[in-house]
Amino acid sequence: MSRFARYALTVAGLLGFGHAQAQSDTDLLRVEEAFALTTSATDRGTVRLEWKIADGYYLYRSRIRTGKPADGLSLGELQLPPGERKHDEFLGDVEVYHDKVAATQPLTLVRGDTAEFSVSIQGCHEREPKICYPPHATTVSVILPAASSVAANPLDTPPNPLAAPAAGSGSLQSALGQLGKPALDAPMDTGTAGTADAPNEKLPLPPEQAFVFEAIATGPTELLARWTMPKGYYLYRDKSVLRVPADSGVALGKKQWPKGVLHRDEHFGEVTVYFDQVELPVLLDRKDGAAQSLKLQAEFQGCEDNGICYPIMTRAVSVDLPAATVDQLKAGNEHYAAAEKQAEASPTAGNVDQSEEQVLAARLSGDRLFALLSFFGFGLLLAFTPCVFPMLPILSGIIAGAGDNVSTRRAFVLSLVYVLASTVVFTIAGVIAGLVGANLQAVFQQPWILISFAALFVLLSLSMFGFYELQLPTGLQNRIANVSNRQQGGSLTGVAIMGVLSALIVGPCVAPPLAAGVLYISQTRDPLFGGLALFVLSLGMGAPLVVAGTAAGKLLPRAGAWMDAVKAVFGVSFLALAIWMLSRILDPVWTMLMIGALAVASGIYLGALERLPVGASGWRTLWKALGVMLLIAGAAQLIGAFAGSADPLQPLKGLGGGAAARSEHLPFRTIKSVEDLERSLGEGKPVMLDFYADWCVACKEMEKFTFTRPQVHAALEGYTLLKADVTANDATDQALLKHFTLFGPPATIFFGADGKEKRGQRLIGFEAADKFAARVAKAGR
C-alpha cells in the first residue's frame, strides 16, 4: 500500500471524526471549484490542461495523471512544470502547485476530431484544520483543430464516483457519503504523475458499497455482526470496534475474532485483515430481560488492495433483542463471564503465524502462576548464556575482595544484594521499554559510559594485585583504595552499585522471554504484572549467581599465598572484562593488541620466562606450561593485529588468505531507516533483515558462529541480505526498531518475495547454524 495511503490512514485515525467535521460546509469548496480545470487544443497533437487553484488550496504534482484514452487515441507523457518544494512531516519532500498550473498533454488521434481521456488529480485545503480531498477523476473531451487552426472546448466534469452529494450541497462531507467523517486528512497515492494507460482502471467504490455492515440478534443474549467487502477490499481487525450506549443496560463481551489473513502494512507493520466477508459473534450481558431495540455502533477502517485507504468509518444499526426469561439471562450471563475469562487467557486468538515472543506474551495472559514459573525457568536457562556469564567474575571478584575471611553468610548476603540490585534495574528497564519504547540498556552503551566502567574494572584489578602503593602517591593511594574497597564489597551499597551497573552495561542480551515481557507490557499497558514477569525472569538468571557467589565465599582459601593467587586471577579477569567492554567501541585491531598484551603479561606472571628449578613441583610446572601457552597466544594476537587481522579467535587466519577469510561472511547491505527497507522490499526477492549493534553480545555470536557457516550460506541463496546497525541508538534507529515492535537487537526478520513478513520465523536472540538454516528453509516455503 502506498505511502500516501498510509498517511491518509494514520492521520485520519488520529484526528478522529470530530476534527474533520469542524470544517463547515460553507468553508470547504467542492473539488471542481477548488481546482477549476480548463482545456484547450494548441494544435492537433497537443492539449493544454490548466488548473486555477483557489486561495488556500494546493495540488500535488505527483497526483496529476491522465489516462483511459478512447479508441483510436494514444497519449504521450504528460508534461508538468516543476512544483514548489514542500516538506511534509510524514511524506518528506513533495512538490505542490499554488494559484495555477498548466500542463501539456501530447497525443495522437488516429480517427475523428475529438480527443477524450480521463484526468485525475488530488489536492488539499491548506488552512487548519488541514483536509485533503480523495483522488478526483473526470473525463474531458477536446475537439482538435485542423492542422492550421486551434480550438478549445470547455471542460466536461461529471461528478466524482466517490462523491454522493445531496442536491445543492458543495461539502466534502456529502462527497464522501454518510461516513461520519468528511474527508481523508492526507493524500492517497494511486500512481505517479504522467500518463496512465490503464483502460481497465476503476475508481474506488463509495464506502457504503466497499464495506457493508449489518447485525442481527441470534438469541436473547447474543448477536452477530457481519462485514461484507467486494473482491479487492479488506478490513483491519484491530481498527474495528463495536459500541453500545452506556445507558442501554447491555454490555458487549470481548470479541473472539475468527482467523484472519496476516498482511504487511507499511505503517503498522504486520496486521490481521479480512477479505470478502467476516462474521463476529458477540455475547451480551443483559440486565433487563424485556425486549428492546439496541443501537449498535460500529467503527472500522479498511482499504482497497493496492489502492486507497478509507478514513475511519462509523455505522449505526438497530438490533431488535427478543425478550429473555430469568433462566435465559442467567445462562447467557454465565456464558458471557466464561467467554470473558477465556478471552483474557488468549488475547491473541485469531492471529496467524505467531513468533516465539508473541506466544510467550500470550502465555502471560493465561494461568499467571504457571506463566511466572515458566519465566523463572527461562531465566535459569539464560543464566548459562554468554550474555550473563561476564557477571560471574564480577560477583566472584567482589567476594574475593571483601576480605581474607569471608564467611558463607557474608558471601550469600553480598551475592543476594548484587543480584537483587541488577534484577530491579533490569525490570525497570524492561517496563520503560514496554511503556515508552526506550531501551534503557542501549542508552548506557555510550562510549564515555563504557570507558568509565572499563576504568573502574582496571582500578579493581589493580587493587587485586595490590599495586596501589607502588604506583601512586600516598594520599591518592588511600582515596582510590577506599573507593575500590567499597566497590569490592566492603559495603552493601557498593555491591548494589556494581549490580546496577552490571544490569545496565554488562546486562543480559535481548532474548524471546525478555521480548515477550516487554511486548506484553506494550500491548496490555499492564506494567505491574509485566514487570513482575521480568522480575521473576531476572531472578532466574540471578539464582545461579547467588549459588556461585555463596560457594565462592566457602571455597576461597584464607589469607596466604593461595589467596593472593586467587586475587591475581580475578585481577586478570577484571582486565579482560575492561577489554571486553572497550571492544564495543574500539577497532578490532586495538582489541587484539590489548588481548595480546594481557596474555603476554599473564604468561610472564606465571613464570613462562623463568627457569624451573631442579625438582620443581607439579603445580609449579603446570603454571609455567600455562604461562608459555598464554605467551604464545598473546604473541599470536599481536602478530595478527599488526598483520591486519580483525578476529581475536582466529588471529593468524588472514595471513595466508584474506580474501578467503572475508568470503565466509554474508554480503549484507546496510540500511538505516524504514524507507531504506521499503525500497529493498520492492525488489521482488525474499529478504532477510538482521538487527545488529556493536554492544550486542548475541549479535557478535550470530556473526561469528552462524552467518559464517556453509549451510546458512546455502539456505540464504537468492535472498536479499539487509543489516540494520542500531549501535548509535539514534531517533532513526529507534523508529526502525519500533516499526517492528522490537526492544533491541539481536533480531532477524524474514520477508517473502511479496514483501510480507514471515512473522512465525522471526528470531530473537542467538541460534545455532543448523537450526537457523532450517528456519530459513521454513521461511522460504
Side-chain angles (χ1 to χ4, degrees):
M1 186 168 296
S2 67
R3 294 177 62 200
F4 279 105
R6 293 303 168 203
Y7 181 85
L9 180 64
T10 306
V11 179
L14 291 175
L15 294 182
F17 299 131
H19 188 111
Q21 288 171 333
Q23 186 70 38
S24 70
D25 291 354
T26 57
D27 288 338
L28 194 65
L29 297 175
R30 296 178 67 243
V31 64
E32 295 87 353
E33 299 170 347
F35 312 104
L37 171 64
T38 58
T39 62
S40 61
T42 57
D43 55 50
R44 192 165 179 82
T46 308
V47 170
R48 176 182 173 87
L49 306 171
E50 185 170 354
W51 287 268
K52 181 173 177 56
I53 305 171
D55 185 35
Y57 295 76
Y58 61 85
L59 273 179
Y60 284 94
R61 183 179 188 273
S62 63
R63 312 306 300 130
I64 300 177
R65 302 174 58 192
T66 56
K68 293 186 179 179
D71 292 340
L73 175 66
S74 62
L75 302 178
E77 183 177 355
L78 182 65
Q79 304 298 318
L80 286 164
E84 302 173 33
R85 286 285 179 180
K86 181 180 180 65
H87 183 76
D88 188 286
E89 179 183 356
F90 291 91
L91 304 177
D93 292 328
V94 295
E95 290 185 67
V96 300
Y97 299 116
H98 291 86
D99 191 25
K100 64 180 179 180
V101 61
T104 301
Q105 176 61 70
L107 51 82
T108 302
L109 184 62
V110 177
R111 57 182 178 273
D113 295 324
T114 303
E116 186 174 298
F117 55 92
S118 70
V119 179
S120 64
I121 61 170
Q122 189 168 35
C124 295
H125 176 268
E126 197 163 34
R127 298 189 301 268
E128 292 298 331
K130 177 182 175 182
I131 297 178
C132 287
Y133 293 83
H136 175 79
T138 189
T139 301
V140 297
S141 296
V142 183
I143 299 177
L144 301 180
S148 59
S149 61
V150 176
N153 217 33
L155 171 67
D156 179 16
T157 54
N160 183 355
L162 263 182
S169 172
S171 71
L172 189 57
Q173 181 171 359
S174 299
L176 281 175
Q178 305 302 316
L179 285 182
K181 181 171 183 177
L184 299 180
D185 294 298
M188 295 181 235
D189 191 7
T190 58
T192 58
T195 302
D197 294 321
N200 295 323
E201 181 183 16
K202 294 182 179 179
L203 288 173
L205 293 172
E208 294 85 354
Q209 297 178 24
F211 303 92
V212 177
F213 174 74
E214 54 190 332
I216 58 172
T218 56
T221 58
E222 186 175 359
L223 61 82
L224 180 71
R226 179 189 294 125
W227 287 264
T228 305
M229 292 75 66
K231 185 176 182 180
Y233 291 77
Y234 59 85
L235 179 78
Y236 287 98
R237 186 182 69 186
D238 61 347
K239 302 295 181 183
S240 302
V241 181
L242 296 178
R243 296 187 178 93
V244 293
D247 58 355
S248 64
V250 177
L252 302 180
K254 282 189 169 62
K255 315 304 178 295
Q256 292 296 303
W257 289 91
K259 184 177 180 180
V261 177
L262 200 63
H263 180 77
R264 185 185 177 279
D265 183 289
E266 285 187 48
H267 188 80
F268 299 114
E270 295 291 340
V271 292
T272 301
V273 301
Y274 298 101
F275 290 87
D276 301 325
Q277 188 178 83
V278 57
E279 293 184 341
L280 177 65
V282 181
L283 295 178
L284 307 177
D285 182 9
R286 296 179 61 178
K287 295 182 172 56
D288 186 357
Q292 68 177 105
S293 179
L294 177 67
K295 184 179 180 182
L296 179 68
Q297 185 183 66
E299 182 180 295
F300 52 90
Q301 199 162 33
C303 297
E304 179 191 14
D305 200 13
N306 298 321
I308 72 163
C309 279
Y310 291 76
I312 295 178
M313 295 165 272
T314 298
R315 307 277 171 77
V317 297
S318 293
V319 181
D320 293 327
L321 298 181
T325 65
V326 175
D327 290 340
Q328 286 176 325
L329 283 180
K330 182 179 179 181
N333 293 342
E334 289 176 354
H335 190 194
Y336 172 92
E340 290 289 286
K341 185 175 181 180
Q342 181 181 359
E344 291 181 358
S346 305
T348 57
N351 275 359
V352 295
D353 203 20
Q354 293 183 359
S355 58
E356 185 176 358
E357 74 274 10
Q358 286 179 308
V359 174
L360 293 177
R363 185 180 298 181
L364 286 174
S365 301
D367 186 331
R368 295 198 163 189
L369 178 59
F370 176 74
L372 292 178
L373 292 175
S374 299
F375 269 65
F376 184 81
F378 293 140
L380 287 175
L381 296 176
L382 290 174
F384 299 97
T385 62
C387 295
V388 182
F389 178 75
M391 300 178 75
L392 181 59
I394 296 175
L395 177 59
S396 300
I398 290 174
I399 304 299
D404 294 333
N405 295 294
V406 179
S407 65
T408 302
R409 180 177 179 276
R410 177 65 173 169
F412 172 77
V413 171
L414 293 175
S415 302
L416 187 62
V417 170
Y418 175 84
V419 168
L420 286 177
S422 62
T423 296
V424 169
V425 173
F426 174 80
T427 303
I428 293 174
V431 171
I432 291 175
L435 292 177
V436 302
N439 187 342
L440 192 59
Q441 288 177 310
V443 173
F444 276 78
Q445 307 304 318
Q446 303 297 322
W448 70 270
I449 296 179
L450 295 176
I451 292 172
S452 301
F453 203 48
L456 177 60
F457 277 125
V458 172
L459 292 177
L460 292 174
S461 175
L462 293 178
S463 71
M464 289 292 180
F465 287 111
F467 284 170
Y468 287 132
E469 66 278 11
L470 300 178
Q471 301 294 326
L472 300 172
T474 304
L476 191 54
Q477 285 179 35
N478 294 334
R479 291 185 182 181
I480 294 179
N482 289 335
V483 172
S484 178
N485 287 335
R486 284 199 299 271
Q487 301 309 316
Q488 293 170 40
S491 74
L492 296 182
T493 303
V495 176
I497 292 174
M498 289 297 292
V500 169
L501 294 175
S502 297
L504 290 173
I505 302 175
V506 179
C509 303
V510 177
L514 173 59
V518 175
L519 180 63
Y520 174 85
I521 294 172
S522 66
Q523 288 181 341
T524 64
R525 317 305 290 179
D526 181 7
L528 293 179
F529 184 72
L532 180 61
L534 293 176
F535 184 79
V536 171
L537 176 71
S538 54
L539 281 181
M541 291 188 292
L545 291 175
V546 174
V547 174
T550 305
K554 185 175 183 63
L555 299 177
L556 285 176
R558 300 311 178 201
W562 273 104
M563 189 61 188
D564 292 337
V566 169
K567 285 188 174 183
V569 170
F570 285 119
V572 172
S573 299
F574 283 153
L575 289 175
L577 284 170
I579 295 173
W580 177 71
M581 301 294 300
L582 295 175
S583 68
R584 305 178 184 186
I585 57 175
L586 293 181
D587 187 275
V589 172
W590 289 105
T591 302
M592 292 178 64
L593 287 174
M594 289 189 293
I595 293 174
L598 179 61
V600 169
S602 299
I604 294 174
Y605 185 86
L606 289 173
L609 301 180
E610 297 177 7
R611 181 185 295 273
L612 283 175
V614 178
S617 66
W619 285 110
R620 180 76 179 271
T621 304
L622 177 62
W623 299 142
K624 180 177 176 64
L626 292 175
V628 171
M629 287 188 288
L630 284 172
L631 191 64
I632 295 173
Q637 293 287 333
L638 296 174
I639 294 171
F642 288 121
S645 177
D647 186 356
L649 298 180
Q650 297 176 307
L652 304 179
K653 185 173 182 179
L655 294 180
R662 287 191 296 273
S663 67
E664 291 185 355
H665 295 281
L666 291 170
F668 281 104
R669 189 168 75 212
T670 302
I671 66 168
K672 180 68 174 176
S673 64
V674 176
E675 290 74 18
D676 294 341
L677 172 64
E678 289 172 347
R679 283 191 291 270
S680 298
L681 291 178
E683 296 175 359
K685 295 173 61 178
V687 173
M688 183 187 85
L689 171 61
D690 179 60
F691 282 85
Y692 168 90
D694 290 341
W695 39 264
C696 170
V697 177
C699 300
K700 301 289 184 68
E701 286 186 273
M702 288 292 290
E703 281 206 332
K704 179 63 182 175
F705 302 113
T706 301
F707 292 155
T708 57
R709 296 298 184 259
Q711 63 266 41
V712 173
H713 285 228
L716 289 171
E717 188 70 29
Y719 272 76
T720 296
L721 305 178
L722 304 178
K723 183 181 292 293
D725 189 341
V726 295
T727 301
N729 195 40
D730 55 24
T732 305
D733 294 340
Q734 293 174 18
L736 185 59
L737 288 167
K738 191 174 182 179
H739 181 75
F740 292 102
T741 323
L742 290 175
F743 173 59
T748 308
I749 299 176
F750 297 92
F751 302 88
D754 57 358
K756 296 181 179 180
E757 183 190 347
K758 305 287 188 177
R759 185 61 185 261
Q761 305 313 312
R762 179 183 288 199
L763 171 64
I764 302 295
F766 170 79
E767 190 169 60
D770 53 346
K771 293 183 178 179
F772 186 80
R775 182 185 296 270
V776 174
K778 190 173 181 181
R781 292 173 187 168

